[in-house]
Amino acid sequence: MKCPFCGEEDTRVIDSRPADEGSSIRRRRQCDKCRKRFTTYEKVEAIPLVVIKKDMTREPYDRSKIERGVFRSCHKRPVSVSKMNAMIDKIEADIFNREAKEVTSNYIGELVMNHLEELDAVAYVRFASIYREFKDVDTFMEELKKILDK
């Protein structure tokens, strides 16, 4: 592993331990040349997943797109980053547990909405307004009525 500080090729593992509930390994390393320490994570490489978008184009799965949508929806809401990340981990687990090589963006969007609805109603409505492309106030009000009826 190359040192991120000096670029030296030789580094030593000082400590290893499980991370992310056993789904990855956290390694503490030290550079033999500059003696600085840094952390690396090893994760099992997942099956490459392709997302089929609404216009039928295909692109590689990108977790950061889900993160951006969730973080924007939860902006200025009483939802901790750890809760958001835990929710995103669950969504990602649902996606990969299907063991399919392709998944529709619609499926991902519905998963996000289902989890957001449980997490925070306002964040859910924010996400739904973009995802479902509300055209007018009436459509927005219909979605709000669904939440209020529950």
Side-chain angles (χ1 to χ4, degrees):
M1 178 66 62
K2 198 180 230 182
C3 174
F5 303 105
C6 70
E8 177 67 22
E9 295 281 338
D10 293 325
T11 60
R12 284 187 286 134
V13 174
I14 297 168
D15 180 43
S16 289
R17 62 181 66 175
D20 299 326
E21 298 176 7
S23 65
S24 65
I25 297 175
R26 177 187 181 271
R27 297 198 193 278
R28 237 5 231 153
R29 297 178 178 269
Q30 183 174 12
C31 176
D32 291 337
K33 183 178 179 185
C34 71
R35 313 293 295 165
K36 290 190 178 178
R37 293 181 177 192
F38 58 98
T39 303
T40 60
Y41 290 89
E42 290 182 21
K43 216 173 193 178
V44 174
E45 190 172 11
I47 302 166
L49 182 65
V50 174
V51 177
I52 304 169
K53 296 172 65 169
K54 289 178 184 176
D55 64 359
M56 299 309 287
T57 58
R58 287 167 165 73
E59 66 180 39
Y61 169 78
D62 184 0
R63 177 188 169 106
S64 67
K65 288 188 174 191
I66 296 173
E67 288 172 340
R68 277 194 304 274
V70 169
F71 289 160
R72 279 188 195 137
S73 299
C74 293
H75 182 70
K76 294 188 178 182
R77 297 295 306 149
V79 180
S80 69
V81 173
S82 61
K83 283 186 179 179
M84 287 186 263
N85 282 326
M87 184 188 81
I88 294 166
D89 289 344
K90 287 179 190 173
I91 292 167
E92 197 168 57
D94 288 347
I95 293 168
F96 283 102
N97 285 340
R98 295 180 71 215
E99 296 183 9
K101 292 181 181 180
E102 294 184 330
V103 64
T104 63
S105 60
N106 184 47
Y107 177 78
I108 295 171
E110 293 297 324
L111 267 178
V112 172
M113 285 186 24
N114 291 340
H115 285 277
L116 272 176
E117 190 173 16
E118 294 172 17
L119 187 68
D120 185 87
V122 173
Y124 164 78
V125 173
R126 286 178 177 172
F127 187 87
S129 69
I130 302 299
Y131 175 70
R132 292 211 172 126
E133 300 173 349
F134 293 163
K135 302 290 184 222
D136 53 30
V137 176
D138 293 332
T139 315
F140 193 82
M141 290 303 293
E142 287 173 25
E143 196 66 37
L144 287 176
K145 285 178 186 172
K146 287 179 192 174
I147 292 173
L148 293 172
D149 290 341
K150 288 183 181 179

